[in-house]
Amino acid sequence: MEPSDLERIARQIRLRDLQAVYEAGAGHIGGEMSVIDLLTALYFRVLRIWPDQPKNPDRDRFVLSKGHTACALYVTLAKRGFIPEDEIHTFLQPHSRLNGHPNCNKVPGVETNTGPLGHGLPVAVGMAKAAKLSGAGYHTYVITGDGEMQEGSNWEAIMAAHQFRLDNLTLVIDHNRFQQGAALSDTNDVAPLRPKLEAFGWRVTEIDGNNMHEIVPALESRGDHPHCIVAHTNKGHGISFMQDTVDWHHKVPNKEQYEIALAELSEAL
Ligand SMILES: Cc1ncc(C[n+]2csc(CCOP(=O)(O)OP(=O)(O)O)c2C)c(N)n1
Ligand SMILES: [Mg+2]
């Protein structure tokens, strides 16, 4: 699929995500809008996956470590055919399998449970190491938040990935410059990320993480080391009044805000 097709799909996913968060009255809309272009490129171009065989052993592995943005993953999985599209209406409802954080025992296509930050990358290192041990050809991708990179467990995993020579692992950091209720720079500022990852022996690519023309080649790039993509994104991307403010980590739009956001995203379709 070409970048222009991917951009169209990402706009549709953004719109459905907004509707789902508004209907459910909860979600993490800012970090969902920042990560949707990355999810779209992965699921509609890069990942070797078969929605009718979610456990096929040859599938590429993908871990959404920033599990609070589960709704964006559900909408993407539904659009790709892993779950019915009309199931998105059940997001956060009693007895729904679409919980606030992804559960691999309930939702086909979810590789591992996430939500407690700082665990997805260590698990992904295990998946990539397992492929090395067994000779499997799959590639492992993981997306973390930038606030999430404050968790020390990530840095242990980063050291291990280098030690294990995991050239079959790609870490994407959704660098939207905000975490929960604060700017990254006002809390525990892990930026700049590139020199830190390079010092740990990783190959690093920096991209505009809301631009398909930069996302696709970065995700498809292969080399001799574990690969980190520092994806510069905008928290709330696509919705003017949400973009780049600290307010929209998990705030839910009121009716008036919803209609403005809906109009902006629909216009882009
Ligand atoms: C271990 C842990 N501590 C705290 C939280 C609560 N929490 C949920 S999201 C979040 C901020 C995450 O920021 P970031 O990783 O930058 O995500 P994004 O900006 O992409 O939403 C926090 C502190 C959590 N889920 N797990
Ligand atoms: Mg962030």
Side-chain angles (χ1 to χ4, degrees):
M1 205 174 270
E2 293 308 307
S4 57
D5 302 315
L6 296 170
E7 285 164 5
R8 180 175 41 80
I9 293 171
R11 285 193 291 269
Q12 293 166 355
I13 293 174
R14 277 200 170 81
L15 186 63
R16 190 67 192 91
D17 184 281
L18 166 75
Q19 291 166 330
V21 169
Y22 181 70
E23 279 170 27
H28 288 84
I29 199 159
E32 283 157 18
M33 294 300 146
S34 69
V35 82
I36 280 172
D37 298 304
L38 294 162
L39 290 176
T40 304
L42 280 164
Y43 276 92
F44 287 86
R45 161 120 183 191
V46 177
L47 292 176
R48 265 185 94 227
I49 42 172
W50 300 273
D52 55 338
Q53 301 167 48
K55 294 283 182 197
N56 185 314
D58 295 333
R59 72 195 184 281
D60 285 339
R61 309 303 199 259
F62 169 67
V63 176
L64 181 66
S65 190
K66 40 172 271 181
H68 55 283
T69 57
C71 188
L73 179 63
Y74 300 146
V75 175
T76 309
L77 287 172
K79 207 158 183 55
R80 189 68 174 81
F82 282 89
I83 56 174
E85 289 205 68
D86 59 10
E87 193 176 337
I88 298 300
H89 285 293
T90 72
F91 175 55
L92 298 182
Q93 298 305 308
H95 310 300
S96 171
R97 53 183 180 170
L98 305 185
N99 305 343
H101 297 90
N103 186 322
C104 64
N105 298 308
K106 295 183 180 174
V107 186
V110 173
E111 286 292 343
T112 190
N113 294 3
T114 51
L117 299 167
H119 292 272
L121 176 59
V123 171
V125 166
M127 291 171 172
K129 176 66 176 167
K132 289 286 179 194
L133 290 171
S134 66
Y138 65 79
H139 195 89
T140 301
Y141 295 87
V142 51
I143 300 183
T144 65
D146 51 1
E148 183 180 2
M149 292 308 292
Q150 297 169 340
E151 297 283 353
S153 49
N154 286 320
W155 298 95
E156 292 181 42
I158 285 166
M159 281 189 277
H162 171 63
Q163 184 70 22
F164 295 151
R165 306 278 183 270
L166 298 183
D167 55 5
N168 57 350
L169 176 68
T170 300
L171 159 66
V172 185
I173 304 175
D174 181 356
H175 196 6
N176 59 26
R177 290 161 284 111
F178 292 94
Q179 58 138 309
Q180 180 176 315
L184 197 66
S185 56
D186 292 335
T187 51
N188 192 356
D189 194 1
V190 290
L193 288 156
R194 178 183 204 126
K196 295 183 180 70
L197 268 295
E198 284 177 344
F200 278 79
W202 284 52
R203 190 165 65 89
V204 181
T205 309
E206 285 195 75
I207 60 164
D208 174 347
N210 296 122
N211 180 337
M212 281 305 170
H213 294 273
E214 297 191 25
I215 294 171
V216 169
L219 289 172
E220 290 179 343
S221 157
R222 294 288 181 270
D224 293 337
H225 299 273
H227 185 205
C228 175
I229 300 172
V230 179
H232 296 273
T233 58
N234 298 307
K235 200 153 177 167
H237 188 84
I239 303 172
S240 58
F241 62 89
M242 288 188 192
Q243 191 161 308
D244 292 329
T245 74
V246 76
D247 302 340
W248 289 95
H249 179 70
H250 54 191
K251 198 166 129 179
V252 177
N254 63 28
K255 191 163 190 301
E256 190 189 344
Q257 290 164 331
Y258 174 65
E259 274 160 14
I260 295 169
L262 204 58
E264 287 185 9
L265 292 178
S266 307
E267 198 178 310
L269 278 181

